[in-house]
Amino acid sequence: ETGVTQTPRHLVMGMTNKKSLKCEQHLGHNAMYWYKQSAKKPLELMFVYSLEERVENNSVPSRFSPECPNSSHLFLHLHTLQPEDSALYLCASSQKQGNEQYFGPGTRLTVT
Amino acid sequence: AQSVTQLGSHVSVSEGALVLLRCNYSSSVPPYLFWYVQYPNQGLQLLLKYTTGATLVKGINGFEAEFKKSETSFHLTKPSAHMSDAAEYFCAVSLEWGAGNKLTFGGGTRVLVKP
């Protein structure tokens, strides 16, 4: 595997379900990010981890819970989501103090 | 604070014609500037970036962009559109920030290429 991978690529879940999104980067980076991309809205930064420490949480509802067990892996745990949470969730990584972020292919989430 | 404005949410061009996507930014310090491309059902792919030095930046797939500080612009161009250029394009600005690197994205411009 190369670059940034995300699983699953597609997820349909009910409002009472609990699921997790996984991101893995194979680039040796030490900062990782979760973004939400909704139709007709700008890309929204949700969380930032640097050296496995959360450094930003952009007023994201508590039904989204991130986890970064090491510099290569990032999870987004989901529970009791709302239909408006349906979106493409993108993971990215970068070097600390680096410029470019490298994105994964995203997980298309549908909440029913 | 930093912000990015992309003029035009949709652009339609004929195959072989010039592609011009406009991006203006605001930043309190000299920025790093990026263009990303997103194909359907995929993540964002870096097209090119400006950090320092030469203001005309060449990227992948024949795209280039010019940083104009006086106009606070970073417009993206390609001389001749190809059908494979149909995608959504995002301009982004970055500052050196904390322990990471915060990107602020524009709203995106969707490009349609007509045969």
Side-chain angles (χ1 to χ4, degrees):
Chain A
E1 292 278 13
T2 59
V4 181
T5 57
Q6 290 186 244
T7 54
R9 293 294 310 276
H10 300 271
L11 178 62
V12 179
M13 59 186 289
M15 293 169 60
T16 58
N17 291 160
K18 290 184 180 181
K19 296 287 184 182
S20 296
L21 310 185
K22 179 183 176 181
C23 176
E24 184 173 0
Q25 60 96 1
H26 309 268
L27 300 169
H29 291 164
N30 49 31
M32 298 187 77
Y33 312 78
W34 279 117
Y35 288 88
K36 177 183 179 182
Q37 187 177 34
S38 306
K40 300 181 181 180
K41 291 179 69 175
L43 208 59
E44 301 173 58
L45 178 63
M46 300 175 71
F47 300 104
V48 181
Y49 276 82
S50 178
L51 297 173
E52 300 133 48
E53 180 181 344
R54 190 189 310 178
V55 296
E56 177 145 338
N57 175 346
N58 272 349
S59 303
V60 179
S62 59
R63 57 185 183 271
F64 295 91
S65 175
E67 178 190 2
C68 187
N70 55 61
S71 60
S72 298
H73 294 86
L74 184 65
F75 295 89
L76 189 62
H77 304 299
L78 316 171
H79 66 97
T80 59
L81 294 191
Q82 304 298 311
E84 60 264 30
D85 297 322
S86 298
L88 182 68
Y89 288 85
L90 293 165
C91 173
S93 71
S94 73
Q95 287 286 6
K96 182 179 178 180
Q97 304 299 335
N99 297 329
E100 305 100 299
Q101 289 182 20
Y102 293 83
F103 285 80
T107 295
R108 175 69 63 186
L109 173 67
T110 303
V111 181
T112 60
Chain B
Q2 57 192 43
S3 65
V4 179
T5 302
Q6 291 183 240
L7 192 61
S9 59
H10 291 79
V11 168
S12 181
V13 299
S14 297
E15 192 174 17
L18 171 72
V19 180
L20 170 60
L21 304 182
R22 299 180 186 276
C23 173
N24 289 88
Y25 69 90
S26 66
S27 174
S28 56
V29 297
Y32 300 109
L33 295 159
F34 307 83
W35 276 100
Y36 284 85
V37 61
Q38 185 178 32
Y39 299 101
N41 299 313
Q42 294 188 29
L44 277 66
Q45 179 184 4
L46 183 66
L47 269 180
L48 49 80
K49 66 178 180 181
Y50 169 79
T51 55
T52 59
T55 56
L56 183 62
V57 181
K58 294 187 184 299
I60 62 172
N61 301 339
F63 284 93
E64 62 182 35
E66 186 171 11
F67 170 57
K68 291 187 177 181
K69 184 178 179 180
S70 60
E71 299 178 7
T72 60
S73 69
F74 191 55
H75 301 331
L76 181 71
T77 60
K78 182 174 180 177
S80 177
H82 191 272
M83 295 300 291
S84 61
D85 295 326
E88 191 160 17
Y89 294 78
F90 294 90
C91 182
V93 61
S94 167
L95 308 175
E96 284 295 330
W97 168 76
N101 175 30
K102 185 174 183 177
L103 286 180
T104 299
F105 287 87
T109 299
R110 190 171 299 276
V111 172
L112 172 66
V113 182
K114 299 176 292 185

